[in-house]
Amino acid sequence: MGQQPREQWGTRAGFLMAAIGSAVGLGNIWRFPYVAYENGGGAFLLPYLIAMLSAGIPLLILEYSIGHRYRSSAPLSYRRIYRPAEAIGWWQVAICFVVAVYYAVIIAWAVRFVGFSATEAWGNDTESFFMNDFIQVSDTPGAVSGFVSGVAWPLIGVWVVALVILVLGVRRGIEITNKIVLPLLLVLFGLLVIQALTLPGAADGLNAFFTPDWEAMLTGKVWIAAYGHVFFSLSVGFGIMVTYSSYLRRKADLTGSAMVTSFSNSSFELLAGIGVFACLGFMAANAGVGVNEVATSGIGLAFVAFPEIISSLPFGGPVFGMLFFGCLVIAGITSLISIVQVIIAAVQERTNLGRVQSVLLVGGATALASILLFPTPEGLHFLDVFDHFINQYGIALAGLVLVIFISWIARRLRVLEKHVNSVSSVSLGLWWRAALGVVTPILLGLVMWDSLRAELMSNYEDYPTGFLLAAGWGVAIGAIVFGIVVSCFPWKRADAIARADARQATDQDGDEPAPLAEPTEITETDAARKEDR
């Protein structure tokens, strides 16, 4: 099969829309408000901002620089930097597979709840409706015991939409989709927030959200929470931003793009916090309790608390519900296509398949796994454990290992800094190397240690040990093993297009990326390593 030309974004705005669309996901709406509330309220915004400047933006610039300089998927980009680092790329591919299979089902739930909102179909007991009537969750985790058609059909629809967008490609599919749906998301969510602010009790909710607890800032827990949330919020550690930036044109403002993406994502999170806590304030006032008694996050907030709020609204409940769940669908779809694109890009380079074949192979396998496992009574248990373990011991750990490889082992920060400075409006310097070489590894290490310590003290959510070993630790460790095993197989065909792209990415001072070997097998000689450094 002939070599496939590498795709490119049509415009810088298209890339920014896609990057922001990936970062703005379900977690912005249902995770950030509660994390901020639990960790000092308004006082949390200061550690959050410091975490963004000292770790979030530097990490984002790092991933942009790797993708733009080496113009390849995550595995091949890392391989060019340091041969053993290819395993990190395939590890991230496995992580993306796991995240995609359960992330899609949450979008499918939101699709159904758009329809449920029109008639407030959940009745008076929103929790029973969601758990028992809709997803029909089993009492205990275990092997799949049935099939829930009310979840399966919208899930199939979600995958059809996502795969059609991906088949159309980077420019005609991902870029155009984000250009349309991101402004729509902003408009819809803006309308939702405006309506929420008019509700009785909204001021109480905002006071709970913004009232600062300055003493909380003196505890390490708050700072760990800030750095942990920033890391998950910006879509770093998946290989997404490496993949997306590899489709940029030669001249690209990487630092400017990273700042625009970061602050756009943070602005949406703040807007989400205002909207969510205005609603929770109304819910608390309506029930005659404090905001602290109704504050929640995650699936419970979206599919239990919000339907209850919708039913309690004095007017416009159905419209409010359709706005909220419509926002979840849009935010989820833009993130889902970015996650699956990481896998597609890696498979395309490894197999030299075309776009359509790669999407059908990768997307078909991912969609099949999702459809077989999650529209079942046991689906919620699998989702909960997958999400917890792949986030804590997949995404975060892979990001930590990548930073250590780049800054301490391969020592490539100076080379990447030169590359970024040659194409960007804001130059990097010692602060960037210090942030990635010292601050980020230490703080990510603390996040990991804090999480692992809690994990070893008691079973997560009191799940049976056997289930956690299989669906939790087994999945997280399996992703690592997959990355190592796949990286051990030789590349049978050198990609001439990738070599040409690497030459185009040559720095102004003539420092080239590590050249690939000739077509028999991709290897690195000592001379190539020396030249690369």
Side-chain angles (χ1 to χ4, degrees):
M1 184 178 292
Q3 299 290 352
Q4 305 296 325
R6 189 162 193 80
E7 298 176 90
Q8 287 188 332
W9 300 108
T11 62
R12 177 171 177 253
F15 163 70
L16 285 172
M17 288 284 193
I20 294 169
S22 175
V24 173
L26 301 176
N28 296 69
I29 299 173
W30 71 29
R31 188 175 189 270
F32 172 77
Y34 189 71
V35 170
Y37 170 73
E38 271 204 323
N39 291 280
F44 178 77
L45 298 179
L46 181 58
Y48 174 76
L49 180 60
I50 293 173
M52 181 69 70
L53 294 173
S54 63
I57 293 177
L59 273 168
L60 199 55
I61 294 173
L62 174 66
E63 295 206 354
Y64 282 178
S65 67
I66 293 172
H68 186 251
R69 177 175 165 80
Y70 296 100
R71 310 189 77 76
S72 308
S73 64
L76 188 52
S77 291
Y78 299 158
R79 183 185 181 108
R80 286 183 177 142
I81 294 172
Y82 187 70
R83 170 64 184 85
E86 181 189 345
I88 303 173
W90 290 111
W91 179 10
Q92 290 179 336
V93 167
I95 289 169
C96 285
F97 176 84
V98 175
V99 173
V101 297
Y102 71 76
Y103 200 83
V105 79
I106 303 174
I107 305 171
W109 294 345
V111 170
R112 287 299 307 275
F113 269 73
V114 171
F116 292 152
S117 297
T119 60
E120 299 180 10
W122 44 74
N124 297 322
D125 191 342
T126 58
E127 183 173 5
S128 177
F129 175 82
F130 176 68
M131 292 292 188
N132 302 324
D133 300 337
F134 178 50
I135 64 172
Q136 301 173 25
V137 65
S138 62
D139 293 331
T140 57
V144 171
S145 63
F147 202 64
V148 182
S149 60
V151 177
W153 287 114
L155 179 58
I156 292 171
V158 166
W159 277 112
V160 169
V161 170
L163 297 185
V164 167
I165 293 170
L166 290 165
V167 162
L168 291 173
V170 169
R171 184 183 301 187
R172 293 188 300 122
I174 299 173
E175 181 172 344
I176 291 177
T177 298
N178 279 281
K179 282 183 174 180
I180 295 172
V181 301
L182 268 189
L184 178 62
L185 173 63
L186 184 60
V187 170
L188 293 179
F189 205 80
L191 292 173
L192 186 150
V193 171
I194 291 171
Q195 186 174 0
L197 291 174
T198 66
L199 298 174
D204 295 333
L206 295 180
N207 286 336
F209 181 58
F210 283 112
T211 299
D213 178 5
W214 298 111
E215 292 184 4
M217 290 181 58
L218 302 177
T219 64
K221 171 180 173 289
V222 171
W223 290 87
I224 289 174
Y227 278 89
H229 179 76
V230 163
F231 184 78
F232 294 126
S233 176
L234 288 175
S235 289
V236 290
F238 292 80
I240 293 173
M241 295 306 177
V242 174
T243 304
Y244 269 14
S245 60
S246 73
Y247 302 118
L248 279 168
R249 297 177 185 275
R250 177 66 184 91
K251 294 297 182 182
D253 184 357
L254 300 182
T255 55
S257 297
M259 290 178 184
V260 170
T261 301
S262 300
F263 287 111
S264 296
N265 178 68
S266 298
S267 299
F268 187 87
E269 287 191 316
L270 187 59
L271 184 67
I274 293 171
V276 166
F277 268 83
C279 292
L280 291 176
F282 165 74
M283 184 178 179
N286 198 53
V289 298
V291 175
N292 62 311
E293 294 187 43
V294 298
T296 184
S297 65
I299 291 170
L301 172 67
F303 298 103
V304 176
F306 257 90
E308 186 174 335
I309 292 169
I310 292 164
S311 294
S312 304
L313 291 176
F315 62 90
V319 174
F320 187 88
M322 288 188 283
L323 282 175
F324 176 75
F325 290 109
C327 288
L328 289 187
V329 172
I330 294 172
I333 283 287
T334 55
S335 296
L336 178 63
I337 59 178
S338 70
I339 294 168
V340 181
Q341 176 60 29
V342 174
I343 317 173
I344 291 170
V347 170
Q348 272 191 284
E349 286 189 343
R350 190 69 194 245
T351 62
N352 202 38
L353 289 174
R355 157 68 63 170
V356 175
Q357 297 99 312
S358 297
V359 171
L360 293 178
L361 175 64
V362 170
T366 312
L368 182 63
S370 180
I371 293 166
L372 290 177
L373 190 58
F374 291 99
T376 65
E378 292 73 27
L380 181 60
H381 301 302
F382 282 111
L383 186 155
D384 187 22
V385 174
F386 278 17
D387 180 64
H388 175 74
F389 279 86
I390 208 66
N391 271 282
Q392 297 297 331
Y393 311 109
I395 299 169
L397 184 58
L400 175 60
V401 172
L402 176 64
V403 170
I404 291 173
F405 259 91
I406 299 296
S407 58
W408 295 356
I409 299 176
R411 299 182 181 276
R412 297 288 293 171
L413 286 182
R414 285 188 180 274
V415 172
L416 293 171
E417 179 188 334
K418 289 179 182 179
H419 177 74
V420 172
N421 290 345
S422 70
V423 298
S424 301
S425 58
V426 178
S427 296
L428 303 177
L430 178 61
W431 72 272
W432 187 68
R433 297 195 302 274
L436 291 175
V438 181
V439 176
T440 301
I442 290 175
L443 289 168
L444 269 180
L446 287 174
V447 170
M448 291 297 306
W449 169 249
D450 184 69
S451 174
L452 184 61
R453 185 165 53 90
E455 207 76 60
L456 297 177
M457 289 177 63
S458 61
N459 281 8
Y460 171 67
E461 295 294 332
D462 293 325
Y463 280 112
T465 301
F467 183 69
L468 291 180
L469 288 174
W473 292 111
V475 169
I477 295 172
I480 300 174
V481 173
F482 174 86
I484 295 171
V485 170
V486 174
S487 68
C488 291
F489 288 96
W491 292 61
K492 297 299 184 182
R493 182 188 297 107
D495 191 336
I497 297 298
R499 290 205 306 272
D501 284 340
R503 286 194 294 272
Q504 291 173 2
T506 301
D507 282 340
Q508 291 178 352
D509 62 1
D511 182 20
E512 294 189 0
L516 302 183
E518 292 307 311
T520 53
E521 179 182 342
I522 295 182
T523 57
E524 284 186 321
T525 62
D526 292 337
R529 293 194 198 98
K530 183 177 180 181
E531 181 182 355
D532 194 31
R533 295 186 183 183

